[in-house]
């Protein structure tokens, strides 16, 4: 690893001010770049070669088809010095990790025009620890206008070749998310990076629940490469639902009964600005605004499975996960206490739901997921009581909670996820049932989600890998009592049962049929498996 060097020719110049990257970009004066596996340089076509100052070293810089490489120019008298060779080994950055290039100039107060050229600044996406991404800069210093112009044009041509990267985005911002921080998050952390990348944006601030849904039904999306939601899980789910509904309408499908939906036509970016950010966390392995933004800028696409929720003869909505019983009741309580802060509201709702913990009498039918590979994975991880064949199966009895999840549902309070064996796009859902038991035992099960212990290792918890699920409550005599709380959400209908679908409350009076549809929507991001398997092309100081 080369020595860290501070400063450089740019900072040594006196007077005036430099054109620097916006605060969002973390500059690395003389970046220490490292890689486990370097791209093979010998077989690559060399596009340009020249001399630039990087840090305090004059470097021989080579631009090839795949990477930018540089090495300090060595004095003849030190040739063969092993210590010198080690400290000045070749460094590189892969071109796929560069997301923008700017001409670096110094401006003086009295100077007219575009200022004095100093060189070229490259904006680079770095992979950090724990699946995080970070933006950084690399300065190539050369005072020759002609020399820099040739290199600048070549870099622009290379970046234009990444056709998967968005050039124009529709932004939907929910200012009410979490502690009403979404607006600040977007304008301080997201927008500066999008501007650096040269991405055009059209921002709409949503004004009420369902605004994004009504907007996306009719608005013109022809000129956009993607849609970005800045908000929590409810906002992201609403936008995904709206994009999929629009796709069905454009395909001429009847939305009252959707059996085989078509996929969304535009990818969706999710900027986490909510209280739990389950979708973003499951997608990236971390709830981190800069990471989510850089995945969008880099055009990383991750196909994700989506569920359809329907009742008898009627389509209800699209979604990624759902909870019935305890999870639904807790959300119903929380919705009636919106005046509380998000953390206080959820803590209060959980405590109240636990205090009134009662089972629901249900009949649950499911179609097991037919995958031998999936069975082997589950057996290897010690999952109990999982049945699989091609026939519909039925279980019935009293259940405290029923979870149906097509994504892992990770968050800060459940780092392994509510459904840790579920993948983003393997065409299956996790069905997790908690039968009636004592309140202390059920609380133990809930607490396990926050630990590394197996949260399903209880005699009253069963797990299944399924393709379809039907949940049919038998009555509400032993379960939900809407008159107890007298809230607008809990009393919407006397015989309705509350469902928690991606953090949104859904009231249904009868059977709910859930189907999973593989790879129905593309999200900007990369799964944790891809992030862990990908090589680290750069590492920042």
């Amino acid at each position: 690893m080369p020595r860290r060097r501070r400063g450089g020719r740019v900072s040594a110049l006196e007077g005036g001010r430099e054109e620097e990257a916006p605060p969002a970009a973390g500059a690395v004066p003389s970046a220490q770049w490292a890689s486990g596996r370097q791209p093979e340089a010998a077989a690559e076509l060399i596009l340009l070669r020249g001399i630039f100052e990087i840090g305090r070293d004059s470097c021989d810089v080579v631009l090839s088809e795949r990477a930018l490489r540089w090495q300090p120019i060595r004095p003849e008298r030190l040739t063969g010095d092993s210590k010198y060779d080690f400290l000045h080994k070749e460094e590189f950055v892969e071109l796929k990790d560069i997301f923008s290039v700017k001409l670096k100039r110094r401006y003086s107060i009295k100077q007219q025009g575009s200022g004095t050229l100093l060189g070229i600044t490259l904006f680079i996406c770095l992979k950090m620890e724990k699946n995080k991404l970070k933006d950084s800069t690399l300065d190539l210093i050369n005072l020759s206008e002609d020399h820099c112009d040739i290199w600048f044009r070549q870099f622009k041509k290379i970046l234009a070749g990444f056709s998967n990267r968005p050039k124009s985005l529709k932004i939907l911002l929910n200012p009410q998310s979490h502690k009403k921080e979404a607006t600040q998050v977007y304008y301080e952390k997201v927008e500066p990076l999008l501007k650096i990348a040269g991405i055009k944006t059209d921002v709409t601030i949503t004004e009420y629940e369902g605004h994004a849904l009504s907007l996306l039904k009719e608005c013109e999306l022809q000129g956009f490469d993607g849609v970005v939601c800045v908000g929590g899980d409810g906002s992201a789910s609403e936008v995904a639902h709206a994009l999929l509904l629009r796709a069905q309408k454009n395909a001429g499908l009847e939305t009252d009964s959707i059996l085989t939906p078509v996929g969304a036509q535009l990818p969706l970016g999710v900027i986490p600005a909510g209280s739990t950010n389950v979708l973003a966390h499951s997608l990236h392995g971390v709830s981190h605004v800069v990471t989510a933004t850089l995945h969008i800028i880099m055009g990383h696409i991750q196909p994700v499975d989506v569920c359809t929720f329907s009742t008898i003869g009627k389509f209800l909505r699209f979604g990624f996960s759902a909870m019935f019983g305890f999870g639904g009741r807790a959300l119903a309580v929380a919705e009636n206490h919106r005046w509380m802060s998000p953390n206080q509201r959820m803590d209060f709702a959980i405590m109240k739901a636990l205090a009134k913990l009662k089972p629901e009498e249900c009949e649950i039918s499911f179609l097991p997921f037919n995958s031998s590979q999936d069975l082997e994975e589950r057996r290897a991880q010690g999952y109990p009581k999982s049945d699989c064949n091609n026939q519909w199966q039925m279980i019935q009895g009293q259940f405290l909670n029923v979870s149906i999840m097509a994504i892992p549902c990770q968050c800060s309070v459940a780092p392994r996820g509510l459904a840790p064996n579920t993948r983003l796009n393997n065409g299956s859902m996790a069905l997790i049932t908690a039968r009636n038991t004592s309140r202390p035992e059920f609380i133990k099960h809930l607490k396990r989600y926050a630990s590394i212990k197996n949260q399903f290792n209880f005699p009253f918890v069963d797990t299944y890998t399924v393709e379809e699920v039907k949940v049919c409550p038998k009555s509400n005599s032993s379960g939900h009592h809407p008159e107890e709380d007298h809230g607008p959400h809990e009393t919407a209908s006397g015989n309705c049962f509350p469902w928690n679908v991606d953090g949104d409350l859904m009231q249904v009076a009868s059977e709910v049929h859930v189907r999973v549809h593989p790879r129905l929507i593309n999200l900007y991001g990369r799964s944790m498996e891809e992030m862990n398997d990908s090589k680290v092309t750069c590492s920042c100081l």
Side-chain angles (χ1 to χ4, degrees):
M1 181 69 68
R3 290 177 297 181
R4 175 172 182 173
R5 298 176 178 272
R6 297 184 177 274
R9 184 174 179 181
V10 179
S11 57
L13 292 173
E14 297 180 357
R17 63 180 180 84
E18 300 168 12
E19 181 184 42
E20 297 294 347
V28 181
S30 61
Q32 287 187 338
W33 314 99
S35 174
R37 295 177 292 173
Q38 287 199 25
E40 293 296 330
E44 295 179 31
L45 175 66
I46 293 178
L47 304 176
L48 291 173
R49 186 166 190 168
I51 295 176
F52 288 92
E53 185 175 305
I54 300 177
R56 292 181 177 177
D57 292 321
S58 291
C59 296
D60 178 18
V61 183
V62 176
L63 177 62
S64 67
E65 293 178 302
R66 291 179 55 195
L68 178 75
R69 305 171 185 278
W70 65 95
Q71 190 171 23
I73 298 173
R74 311 175 189 180
E76 290 292 334
R77 61 186 179 86
L78 289 178
T79 301
D81 187 326
S82 59
K83 180 178 179 182
Y84 187 90
D85 290 344
F86 173 76
L87 294 175
H88 294 78
K89 67 179 182 180
E90 181 182 78
E91 298 176 89
F92 77 97
V93 59
E94 290 193 54
L95 300 184
K96 66 181 180 64
D97 295 324
I98 300 172
F99 65 88
S100 187
V101 57
K102 308 286 184 185
L103 290 174
K104 186 178 183 68
R105 297 184 182 275
R106 183 189 64 194
Y107 294 94
S108 171
I109 298 176
K110 298 180 180 180
Q111 190 172 7
Q112 300 295 323
S114 58
T116 302
L117 178 70
L118 299 177
I120 297 171
T121 297
L122 300 177
F123 295 84
I124 301 165
C125 175
L126 303 179
K127 179 184 173 186
M128 309 298 286
E129 74 286 348
K130 297 180 180 179
N131 295 313
K132 287 185 179 181
L133 299 179
K134 178 183 179 181
D135 58 296
S136 185
T137 58
L138 177 68
D139 291 331
L140 307 177
I141 305 303
N142 190 301
L143 305 184
S144 169
E145 291 271 1
D146 292 340
H147 186 67
C148 288
D149 183 66
I150 293 171
W151 281 73
F152 179 75
R153 289 177 181 272
Q154 186 64 57
F155 278 121
K156 294 291 285 186
K157 181 179 178 181
I158 290 169
L159 292 179
F162 293 109
S163 58
N164 60 313
R165 297 183 181 179
K167 298 177 178 60
S168 180
L169 294 169
K170 177 65 181 177
I171 311 291
L172 297 172
L173 193 158
N174 180 3
Q176 300 301 317
S177 289
H178 193 36
K179 299 178 182 178
K180 301 184 179 181
E181 298 172 344
T183 304
Q184 180 182 359
V185 165
Y186 176 75
Y187 286 108
E188 291 186 4
K189 296 183 178 181
V190 180
E191 187 184 56
L193 283 173
L194 297 180
K195 284 185 175 180
I196 290 172
I199 298 175
K200 297 178 181 179
T201 58
D202 181 81
V203 181
T204 297
I205 297 178
T206 57
E207 299 174 0
Y208 52 87
E209 185 178 347
H211 188 188
L213 177 61
S214 60
L215 179 74
L216 288 174
K217 281 183 178 179
E218 304 296 338
C219 75
E220 179 58 57
L221 295 177
Q222 187 66 33
F224 297 107
D225 300 310
V227 177
V228 174
C229 172
V230 185
D233 290 315
S235 302
S237 179
E238 180 182 336
V239 175
H241 174 60
L243 287 174
L244 286 164
L245 276 182
R246 184 181 180 121
Q248 313 317 306
K249 179 180 178 181
N250 292 342
L253 297 180
E254 177 58 53
T255 55
D256 287 340
S257 180
I258 300 176
L259 296 178
T260 309
V262 299
Q265 295 162 332
L266 289 178
L268 170 62
V270 180
I271 302 296
S275 54
T276 54
N277 304 305
V278 164
L279 184 57
H281 205 130
S282 298
L283 183 63
H284 309 306
V286 65
S287 179
H288 187 239
V289 171
V290 172
T291 295
T293 305
L294 287 172
H295 278 303
I296 294 170
I297 290 171
M298 303 303 287
H300 297 158
I301 294 295
Q302 175 64 56
V304 177
D305 299 342
V306 182
C307 303
T308 54
F309 296 85
S310 58
T311 188
I312 301 173
K314 182 182 178 182
F315 170 77
L316 296 173
R317 61 170 295 164
F318 292 98
F320 300 97
S321 64
M323 287 186 286
F324 172 78
F326 171 79
R329 279 199 217 95
L331 181 61
V333 173
E335 287 298 306
N336 286 323
H337 295 80
R338 279 277 174 183
W339 52 271
M340 293 184 176
S341 68
N343 291 337
Q344 288 179 328
R345 181 168 67 243
M346 284 311 302
D347 289 344
F348 172 80
I350 290 172
M351 294 301 294
K352 188 170 183 181
L354 284 173
K356 297 183 178 182
L357 185 66
K358 293 179 182 178
E360 298 285 5
E361 184 73 30
C362 289
E363 180 179 288
I364 302 174
S365 304
F366 59 90
L367 182 64
F369 180 55
N370 189 17
S371 169
S372 57
Q373 181 181 359
D374 182 77
L375 273 175
E376 290 174 4
E377 288 182 2
R378 291 171 60 75
R379 286 169 182 161
Q381 296 187 20
Y383 277 68
K385 296 186 285 296
S386 298
D387 301 314
C388 243
N389 56 45
N390 287 323
Q391 303 297 320
W392 279 86
Q393 298 183 27
M394 186 187 71
I395 53 177
Q396 56 185 348
Q398 293 187 332
F399 298 91
L400 292 175
N401 192 69
V402 178
S403 298
I404 305 167
M405 299 175 173
I407 61 174
C409 292
Q410 291 181 301
C411 60
S412 58
V413 296
R416 294 180 64 243
L418 301 179
N421 197 48
T422 305
R423 299 295 177 261
L424 293 171
N425 55 13
N426 66 347
S428 71
M429 302 179 292
L431 168 62
I432 304 166
T433 63
R435 293 180 179 270
N436 192 19
T437 188
S438 66
R439 184 180 289 107
E441 285 298 300
F442 184 69
I443 292 174
K444 285 182 183 178
H445 162 61
L446 296 181
K447 286 183 175 180
R448 285 278 184 92
Y449 282 105
S451 71
I452 60 173
K453 295 181 179 180
N454 187 345
Q455 60 263 49
F456 310 121
N457 191 23
F458 292 92
F460 58 89
V461 178
D462 298 322
T463 66
Y464 309 86
T465 303
V466 301
E467 296 178 12
E468 294 186 44
V469 180
K470 295 178 182 179
V471 179
C472 182
K474 289 302 182 182
S475 70
N476 66 346
S477 58
S478 62
H480 184 50
H481 293 271
E483 69 277 3
E484 291 180 0
D485 295 288
H486 304 289
H489 289 288
E490 292 168 286
T491 60
S493 174
N495 294 319
C496 279
F497 293 86
W499 283 73
N500 180 338
V501 180
D502 298 334
D504 281 342
L505 187 65
M506 181 177 75
Q507 296 273 7
V508 187
S510 57
E511 174 185 283
V512 172
H513 188 176
V514 188
R515 294 185 180 92
V516 65
H517 304 274
R519 299 168 174 257
L520 201 58
I521 192 169
N522 286 327
L523 301 185
Y524 283 114
R526 281 184 175 169
S527 65
M528 289 177 289
E529 292 82 7
E530 287 183 310
M531 289 288 288
N532 292 331
D533 291 342
S534 65
K535 59 185 177 182
V536 181
T537 54
C538 310
S539 63
C540 164
L541 291 175

